Amino acid sequence: MNSILWGCIADDFTGASDAASFFKKGGLKTVLYNGIPEEGVVPDEDIQAVVIATKIRSIDKNIAVEEALKAYEYLKSINTKQFYYKYCSTFDSTPEGNIGPIADALMDAVGETKTILCPALPVNKRTVERGILYVDGVPLAETSMRNHPVNPMWESEISELVKPQSQYPCINVDIEEMEEEDEEVWNRLNAFEEQKGKYYIIPDYVEDFDAERIVELFGNLKLLTGGSGIIEELAKKSAADENTVDEYEGTRGQALIIAGSCSKATLGQIEKFINDGGKTFKINPIRMLYEKQKLSDVWNYVIGNAESPVLVYSSENPEDVKYNQRHGADKISACLEQNMADLANLAVRNGYTRIIVAGGETSGAVTQKLGFNAYLIGESVSPGVPVMTPVERRDIRIVLKSGNFGDEDFFAKALKITKR
């Protein structure tokens, strides 16, 4: 069995596709598994990076640790050399969060005495400076993410975020320190380890080019953790002696766009698509909840405009979302996700080969309904958003994006890159 250069455990599906896109961009042929593969399932011989999408982001801590360790055992069984634990670039964690316990368990499992906590992704305006996590220049705890309904973010300093979660201490490595010789950096870190035992390193990461220095210093550790910011550089380092040629091409067939995210970025992308003359169908959450608007209404519009891609969306501004939630936020979310997933499945069953989805929860519902277990990773529409080809249906192209990702013309770019 060939060695897998990198095995990545991601805490949700869109995070997994984000990580996979950067392994691919860095030069490694990459496969993404939706869940931990069954025993006996092995990647193709030419695969160099394996990413496993789990659902460990917000579930019970003990179950999350157990699932992460199962994913690690699978990756170890396929002869994986190095491991990466991928979580959100905004850290997404409360004092009772899962990042610390999972990182602790994985560090123990691989036998390392240290690893890095590196959530930054400067290309998407997530940076770390003097150990503080910023979103577009604003400390994390001062952003709107402070009021996130599932993972409220009440602290900006990473070491303080981790303290109530982890049994191990942290040490910051500031930009100025990273400019020192490797030996000087490691002398300080080794002295810290002698005093404290196992520990976490928090490197500053302000500009894209800082990734190269982080990888120079820490890229040989058996386990690394963070967002997707350093993954491309890690892949480049690993692929330096490889000669893989992995050409991507689009596919023939019709396209459907589905948007469930209410993020500012997705709302702007919808507006751009409409202003450019795109065909759209707006789902009314309340009418659909009470079955006054049905999936058949949506589908009839889609096939009635089959000569061009249709954008079906439920995305609304915060005021309308709040108004609609009077009818029950959970009920509305479940209704919308179910209908969006059924719509995607209906499209694929009727010969559509290009499915583009905006929104993490919507993407999760769609992938679960479509039922594909493994995806080959192609070119990226935007940083962290790759085109994915189901291993079981290589004529299909799927694009899944987190709500905040992508430029204004994201949908037009996705349509173009998925089309042969």
Side-chain angles (χ1 to χ4, degrees), residues 57-116:
R57 182 167 171 177
S58 304
I59 64 173
D60 175 81
K61 176 168 54 179
N62 295 323
I63 297 172
V65 168
E66 186 180 337
E67 285 298 297
L69 290 175
K70 284 180 184 176
Y72 164 72
E73 289 298 329
Y74 170 79
L75 291 169
K76 192 169 72 166
S77 77
I78 58 171
N79 202 23
T80 300
K81 288 184 173 180
Q82 288 180 276
F83 303 87
Y84 199 94
Y85 167 35
K86 161 69 173 68
Y87 42 79
C88 183
S89 60
T90 49
F91 213 81
D92 244 18
S93 215
T94 63
E96 293 298 316
N98 290 343
I99 292 176
I102 292 170
D104 284 2
L106 290 173
M107 185 155 62
D108 293 346
V110 301
E112 276 283 12
T113 57
K114 56 197 162 285
T115 188
I116 64 171

Side-chain angles (χ1 to χ4, degrees), residues 192-211:
F192 185 82
E193 182 176 341
E194 283 182 20
Q195 183 183 8
K196 301 286 188 179
K198 289 185 179 181
Y199 69 104
Y200 290 105
I201 303 159
I202 302 171
D204 274 8
Y205 188 1
V206 181
E207 303 287 349
D208 287 328
F209 55 75
D210 293 333

Side-chain angles (χ1 to χ4, degrees), residues 230-251:
I230 63 169
I231 291 178
E232 181 182 352
E233 199 61 41
L234 288 170
K236 285 179 179 176
K237 180 175 181 287
S238 299
D241 298 323
E242 305 286 329
N243 294 307
T244 301
V245 177
D246 184 22
E247 295 295 333
Y248 164 80
E249 64 177 2
T251 189

Side-chain angles (χ1 to χ4, degrees), residues 152-210:
M153 294 145 219
W154 303 321
E155 177 59 65
S156 305
E157 189 167 350
I158 296 173
S159 62
E160 292 299 314
L161 274 166
V162 175
K163 189 180 290 183
Q165 297 179 22
S166 169
Q167 57 185 312
Y168 302 131
C170 299
I171 184 170
N172 294 340
V173 180
D174 298 341
I175 287 290
E176 295 84 357
E177 293 170 316
M178 286 200 293
E179 291 173 353
E180 297 171 353
E181 295 294 325
D182 292 13
E183 186 178 0
E184 289 183 62
V185 176
W186 279 110
N187 282 343
R188 177 172 172 248
L189 295 176
N190 291 336
F192 185 82
E193 182 176 341
E194 283 182 20
Q195 183 183 8
K196 301 286 188 179
K198 289 185 179 181
Y199 69 104
Y200 290 105
I201 303 159
I202 302 171
D204 274 8
Y205 188 1
V206 181
E207 303 287 349
D208 287 328
F209 55 75
D210 293 333

Side-chain angles (χ1 to χ4, degrees), residues 197-399:
K198 289 185 179 181
Y199 69 104
Y200 290 105
I201 303 159
I202 302 171
D204 274 8
Y205 188 1
V206 181
E207 303 287 349
D208 287 328
F209 55 75
D210 293 333
E212 186 174 351
R213 181 59 178 148
I214 294 170
V215 169
E216 281 178 356
L217 280 167
F218 310 117
N220 289 327
L221 295 175
K222 195 169 182 181
L223 169 71
L224 298 174
T225 88
S228 57
I230 63 169
I231 291 178
E232 181 182 352
E233 199 61 41
L234 288 170
K236 285 179 179 176
K237 180 175 181 287
S238 299
D241 298 323
E242 305 286 329
N243 294 307
T244 301
V245 177
D246 184 22
E247 295 295 333
Y248 164 80
E249 64 177 2
T251 189
R252 296 184 178 89
Q254 293 163 302
L256 175 67
I257 307 169
I258 297 171
S261 167
C262 296
S263 72
K264 183 178 178 182
T266 299
L267 291 173
Q269 290 155 1
I270 292 168
E271 184 179 2
K272 171 70 172 170
F273 188 83
I274 293 170
N275 290 341
D276 288 346
K279 300 277 188 183
T280 61
F281 187 100
K282 172 75 163 64
I283 289 178
N284 183 306
I286 305 303
R287 286 177 60 80
M288 183 155 275
L289 180 65
Y290 294 110
E291 298 187 358
K292 295 181 184 284
Q293 188 183 64
K294 299 183 179 180
L295 181 62
S296 58
D297 300 325
V298 185
W299 180 243
N300 287 336
Y301 182 86
V302 171
I303 59 173
N305 292 276
E307 75 283 352
S308 59
V310 173
L311 164 61
V312 177
Y313 68 101
S314 61
S315 312
E316 297 190 290
N317 62 48
E319 292 77 20
D320 289 333
V321 170
K322 190 173 181 180
Y323 178 83
N324 291 338
Q325 285 178 343
R326 297 182 310 158
H327 295 261
D330 291 341
K331 285 197 299 183
I332 287 177
S333 294
C335 173
L336 289 174
E337 287 169 20
Q338 181 66 56
N339 279 281
M340 295 294 205
D342 288 343
L343 177 62
N345 191 45
L346 195 55
V348 169
R349 283 187 5 230
N350 282 272
Y352 278 67
T353 57
R354 296 183 287 148
I355 306 295
I356 299 155
V357 187
E361 288 79 9
T362 310
S363 294
V366 167
T367 53
Q368 185 174 4
K369 185 69 178 183
L370 293 180
F372 299 125
N373 295 314
Y375 299 85
L376 297 173
I377 304 303
E379 301 300 324
S380 292
V381 181
S382 67
V385 189
V387 180
M388 304 192 300
T389 299
V391 170
E392 304 98 318
R393 282 287 307 273
R394 302 202 182 195
D395 60 321
I396 289 177
R397 302 291 180 270
I398 296 175
V399 177

